């Protein structure tokens, strides 16, 4: 496979991660990115590596994949930081899921019970114990669940590192070059055509275009990846002395208002997210969205009221029909999917990059990604 030409549609963390692994093995790789590499969902994300906090009892396969990817993170960080000669801000302080009212405590207990049923390594804390770990938390905190193994990475640094590592291995990156269609001949993917009319033949085509994946023409309707945009509004505050946290903080609100998460960065930024909105490709920031984020953050950590507001933004998560990614072979020969990572794109980058590149280089699908093929949606 080394001499073959691989075309990747989409230059987010998934496309760049797969491209880097392939280019490192000597393959000829070209990535087509419709705008700037890594500036869509990969940039908008908060970088939480949270298979435990985001675990759902009805999604055991996704929990397993997320946990496997989290376990790969130390190796991934070592390799990527060495290749790119820069830090990607990987932090291992862990995550606290907090409640602020008696109703929230009931919901937390329910969550804790299902985490225990799943055999997850989580600890129940009183409000006081949570505040001993994070003194900036509100005195209203009633209880918390500690997920020590849910870590975080600075996704924007990871984007920069991946682009650098990929290009240093000889990977070709075409930015502002949207792929309009995939060319399929006799059931075999043979190339791509860009919106500018450029045609390129390839031996393997990888579709990793995030929430745009279903928009690419040329695919039979039956196997079009069922991926839609799910909007998230976010903002960043600047932490100051006395108003800092070290853990990722997530709120659980049984009733109104919205649950939020707060993610502290090494450079002092505090990322606050996120709304979850079914608004198609609308990327507008709204007063209501920002209001809910600020209110949720203020309820968890009242001191944020004093902090400078640095940035606001929105992103579109690539949500699949069952919230799990779509990975691996398709009914079309030489067409590989790596899309639909929804709320877990940053977490799932290492396992997607290692497994999909191995599939392309060896032709063998591992047990790990077999449950995530697009076939699961076919009647
Ligand atoms: N994983 C966090 C989010 O999608 O908002």
């Amino acid at each position: 496979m080394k001499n073959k030409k691989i075309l990747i549609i989409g230059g987010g963390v998934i496309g760049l991660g797969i491209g880097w692994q392939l280019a490192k093995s000597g393959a000829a790789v070209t990535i087509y990115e419709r705008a700037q590499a890594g500036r869509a969902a990969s940039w908008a994300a908060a970088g939480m590596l949270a298979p435990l906090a985001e675990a759902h009892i009805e999604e055991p396969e996704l929990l397993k994949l997320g946990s496997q990817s989290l376990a790969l993170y130390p190796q991934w960080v070592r390799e990527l930081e060495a290749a790119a000669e820069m830090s990607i801000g990987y932090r291992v302080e862990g995550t606290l899921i907090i409640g602020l009212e008696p109703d929230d405590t009931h919901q937390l207990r329910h969550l804790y019970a299902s985490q225990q049923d799943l055999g997850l390594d989580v600890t129940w804390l009183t409000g006081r114990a949570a505040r001993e770990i994070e003194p900036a938390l509100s005195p209203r905190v009633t209880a918390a669940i500690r997920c020590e193994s849910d870590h975080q990475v600075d996704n924007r640094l990871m984007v920069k590192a991946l682009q650098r590592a990929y290009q240093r291995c000889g990977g070709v990156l075409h930015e502002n070059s949207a792929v309009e269609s995939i060319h399929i001949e006799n059931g075999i993917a043979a190339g791509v055509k860009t919106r500018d009319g450029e045609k390129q033949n390839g031996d393997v085509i990888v579709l990793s275009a995030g929430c745009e994946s279903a928009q690419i023409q040329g695919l039979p309707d039956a196997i079009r990846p069922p991926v839609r945009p799910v909007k998230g509004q976010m903002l960043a505050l600047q932490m100051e002395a006395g108003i800092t946290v070290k853990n990722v903080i997530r709120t659980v609100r049984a009733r109104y208002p919205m649950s939020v998460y707060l993610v502290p960065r090494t450079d002092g930024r505090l990322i606050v997210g996120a709304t979850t909105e079914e608004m198609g490709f609308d990327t507008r920031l709204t007063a209501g969205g920002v209001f809910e984020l600020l209110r949720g953050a203020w309820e968890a950590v009242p001191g944020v009221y004093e902090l400078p507001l640095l940035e606001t933004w929105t992103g579109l998560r690539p949500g699949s029909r069952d919230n799990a990614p779509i990975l691996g072979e398709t009914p079309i020969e030489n067409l590989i999917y790596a899309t639909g990572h929804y709320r877990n794109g940053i977490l799932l980058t290492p396992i997607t990059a290692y497994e999909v590149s191995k599939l392309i280089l060896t032709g063998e699908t591992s047990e790990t990604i077999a449950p995530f093929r697009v076939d699961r949606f076919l009647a």
Side-chain angles (χ1 to χ4, degrees):
M1 182 53 73
K2 276 195 178 162
N3 299 325
K4 294 205 176 170
K5 202 161 151 190
I6 296 149
L7 309 182
I8 298 180
I9 306 170
V13 286
I14 299 297
L16 286 169
I18 296 168
W20 171 45
Q21 291 299 307
L22 291 170
K24 197 151 63 103
S25 304
V29 190
T30 301
I31 295 179
Y32 291 89
E33 164 53 45
R34 63 197 298 278
Q36 248 189 300
R39 292 295 176 128
S42 307
W43 195 258
M48 290 182 296
L49 310 175
L52 303 199
E54 300 228 356
H56 289 287
I57 198 106
E58 67 278 15
E59 295 171 352
E61 296 282 5
L62 183 55
L63 170 64
K64 188 169 157 205
L65 191 72
S67 302
Q68 287 171 319
S69 199
L70 181 69
L72 291 170
Y73 247 92
Q75 170 195 342
W76 172 261
V77 173
R78 261 195 317 278
E79 281 179 20
L80 183 55
E81 289 189 341
E85 295 178 287
M86 61 178 280
S87 164
I88 60 167
Y90 176 56
R91 291 182 63 166
V92 297
E93 281 91 344
T95 296
L96 288 177
I97 312 175
I98 62 167
L100 289 144
E101 287 180 44
D103 276 13
D104 303 339
T105 310
H106 285 299
Q107 186 158 331
L108 269 183
R109 281 205 186 284
H110 180 67
L111 175 64
Y112 184 63
S114 51
Q115 288 174 323
Q116 287 190 309
D117 284 350
L118 289 165
L120 307 182
D121 186 11
V122 290
T123 315
W124 182 264
L125 298 177
T126 60
R128 179 186 293 232
R131 279 190 298 280
E132 275 165 20
I133 296 168
E134 289 293 0
L137 284 177
S138 166
R140 283 176 55 205
V141 171
T142 50
I145 300 171
R146 187 170 203 188
C147 309
E148 275 189 88
S149 62
D150 274 1
H151 300 153
Q152 64 137 315
V153 71
D154 187 328
N155 45 293
R156 293 185 181 181
L157 292 178
M158 190 160 103
V159 161
K160 286 185 191 160
L162 276 173
Q163 184 171 341
R164 195 184 284 178
Y166 169 67
Q167 290 181 306
R168 281 182 176 180
C169 293
V172 176
L173 174 63
H174 294 305
E175 294 187 302
N176 302 307
S177 185
V179 167
E180 183 180 77
S181 60
I182 295 172
H183 178 53
I184 296 171
E185 249 175 42
N186 304 322
I188 301 174
V192 301
K193 185 174 140 208
T194 67
R195 275 207 197 125
D196 301 336
E198 185 201 325
K199 288 184 183 165
Q200 191 59 252
N201 290 332
D203 299 302
V204 177
I205 316 295
V206 179
L207 179 56
S208 57
C211 71
E212 299 281 344
S213 298
Q215 311 301 311
I216 310 287
Q217 301 303 301
L219 298 170
D221 282 343
I223 65 147
R224 191 173 293 284
V227 179
R228 69 191 192 288
V230 182
K231 176 173 159 181
Q233 302 192 41
M234 313 265 295
L235 56 88
L237 305 170
Q238 179 66 49
M239 290 187 286
E240 290 181 345
I243 314 167
T244 59
V245 290
K246 289 201 173 76
N247 289 253
V248 173
I249 311 291
R250 305 173 68 109
T251 64
V252 157
R253 304 313 310 267
R255 290 190 276 185
Y256 205 67
M258 191 178 89
S259 299
V260 298
Y261 48 76
L262 294 87
V263 186
R265 294 282 195 244
T266 309
D267 64 4
R269 284 160 66 92
L270 183 65
I271 312 300
V272 182
T275 63
T276 302
E277 301 170 65
E278 299 280 353
M279 298 284 290
F281 285 92
D282 176 342
T283 53
R284 285 173 303 175
L285 199 71
T286 65
V290 173
F291 174 73
E292 292 295 345
L293 293 172
L294 287 173
R295 176 161 64 175
W298 169 71
E299 289 199 331
V301 178
V304 301
Y305 199 84
E306 306 297 334
L307 299 182
L309 174 58
L310 297 179
E311 189 188 342
T312 51
W313 67 96
T314 62
L316 298 176
R317 305 173 183 89
S320 80
R321 203 174 288 153
D322 60 3
N323 301 336
I326 305 169
L327 306 173
E329 300 107 316
T330 67
I332 304 289
E333 207 177 309
N334 296 341
L335 176 65
I336 304 286
Y337 284 169
T339 187
H341 291 72
Y342 190 36
R343 306 183 72 92
N344 294 298
I346 305 298
L347 168 65
L348 297 177
T349 296
I351 204 150
T352 303
Y354 290 138
E355 294 291 331
V356 172
S357 61
K358 195 164 75 186
L359 165 66
I360 293 169
L361 291 168
T362 66
E364 288 163 25
T365 305
S366 72
E367 292 293 310
T368 309
I369 59 169
F372 298 98
R373 281 199 300 245
V374 72
D375 322 10
R376 70 186 191 272
F377 299 112
L378 304 183

